[in-house]
Amino acid sequence: MSRRISVLVITRKTAGGFFLGILFLILSALVVGRAIPVLAPLHPAMVGKVITVDPGHGGIDPGSHDDGGVLEKDIVLEIAKNVCYLLARARAVPILTRHGDWEMSPIWPEEKTRHRQDLAARIHIAHRTNSDVFVSIHVNKVGSASTRGAIVLYSKNKPESKRLATCIQQALKDVAPFGGQSVLEGDYYVLNAARLPAVIVEVGFISNPDEKQLLLTPTYRQRLAEAIFRGLLAFFEGS
Ligand SMILES: [Zn+2]
């Protein structure tokens, strides 16, 4: 009697384990089945492209800022990280110059001033990693509160820089309510030092109250990141 009960108990345990195993497999299949389309937005033109994404400023250099604690270095870091995430999903190779709130000057002490060292380090990373393009992300500020919109500046060193700037500006126009302002040749250290297609993306003005409010919104930062990604995709699909 006791033996039969014992057998019965084992059987129930086995059956419970069996059904739990089946349940686990069904749930796994559902999870995997749902995950596959999300994890595979593979873009052939992007596969293996090395893209240096540079959030401007950092550390003791806040970049543009206001009296209320809005700092360019924080806004651009989040946008840059979002761009890198999208690039990684597309099977590109994103290189993020800084992952946190720090400056880059210790990487490149050859330049005389800390500011120059900081800038030189960023473009050095792009060269050292044999990047295909360099995209530095910034936020603008001017004296006039009415000025707004994105501006993309390109390097005169490489003709492809202008096409890259145009692709990104075109994509920004689709998401920014104030549109993209313009594409301009830029006379800036990182652009002049770049030996690869290079652009500075000024995503908007914190000196314009409406645009500042947008730039403080995570969903808007994500939309800007998606636009920069689409601009990069258009650039590589056209090359
Ligand atoms: Zn800046």
Side-chain angles (χ1 to χ4, degrees):
M1 187 69 180
S2 62
R3 194 176 173 186
R4 286 178 65 189
I5 289 170
S6 171
V7 169
L8 189 63
V9 168
I10 290 168
T11 304
R12 277 181 179 170
K13 281 184 178 175
T14 307
F18 176 75
F19 285 119
L20 276 175
I22 292 292
L23 185 62
F24 175 76
L25 286 173
I26 291 170
L27 288 173
S28 300
L30 284 172
V31 168
V32 170
R34 287 186 176 197
I36 285 171
V38 175
L39 291 172
L42 189 150
H43 295 282
M46 296 290 269
V47 174
K49 298 295 183 189
V50 183
I51 298 162
T52 294
V53 180
D54 172 45
H57 313 280
I60 61 169
D61 174 11
S64 301
H65 55 92
D66 69 0
D67 297 333
V70 175
L71 305 176
E72 176 182 356
K73 65 178 181 178
D74 298 334
I75 296 172
V76 296
L77 179 61
E78 185 181 320
I79 295 171
K81 283 182 174 177
N82 292 347
V83 172
C84 286
Y85 176 72
L86 295 166
L87 290 172
R89 278 181 39 174
R91 312 303 195 273
V93 183
I95 306 289
L96 187 61
T97 55
R98 68 175 175 94
H99 298 73
D101 183 18
W102 56 70
E103 62 163 303
M104 314 288 293
S105 56
I107 293 175
W108 197 258
E110 281 82 353
E111 289 284 347
K112 287 180 181 169
T113 65
R114 184 209 59 77
H115 183 55
R116 278 290 175 92
Q117 291 167 358
D118 178 78
L119 296 173
R122 295 164 198 262
I123 205 69
H124 169 68
I125 289 169
H127 291 157
R128 188 72 181 82
T129 54
N130 283 324
S131 290
D132 291 286
V133 296
F134 174 84
V135 179
S136 190
I137 302 173
H138 290 255
V139 168
N140 238 328
K141 183 182 177 183
V142 291
S144 164
S146 60
T147 305
R148 60 191 188 181
I151 299 172
V152 185
L153 303 144
Y154 59 89
S155 166
K156 62 179 181 293
N157 290 352
K158 290 277 182 180
E160 285 289 79
S161 299
K162 186 174 184 181
R163 192 171 70 79
L164 174 60
T166 305
C167 288
I168 292 175
Q169 183 64 291
Q170 207 62 44
L172 285 168
K173 278 180 183 169
D174 293 339
V175 302
F178 309 129
Q181 261 201 356
S182 50
V183 170
L184 301 169
E185 183 179 298
D187 185 17
Y188 293 93
Y189 183 94
V190 290
L191 297 182
N192 294 337
R195 300 195 301 268
L196 71 168
V199 295
I200 292 175
V201 182
E202 297 276 3
V203 292
F205 288 81
I206 57 167
S207 40
N208 176 271
D210 295 332
E211 196 158 40
K212 182 171 80 172
Q213 284 310 309
L214 280 174
L215 288 166
L216 293 176
T217 312
T219 50
Y220 186 66
R221 296 179 192 180
Q222 176 62 21
R223 284 168 61 194
L224 290 171
E226 288 168 4
I228 293 169
F229 169 78
R230 282 199 302 278
L232 284 161
L233 179 59
F235 174 79
F236 285 115
E237 283 183 335
S239 59

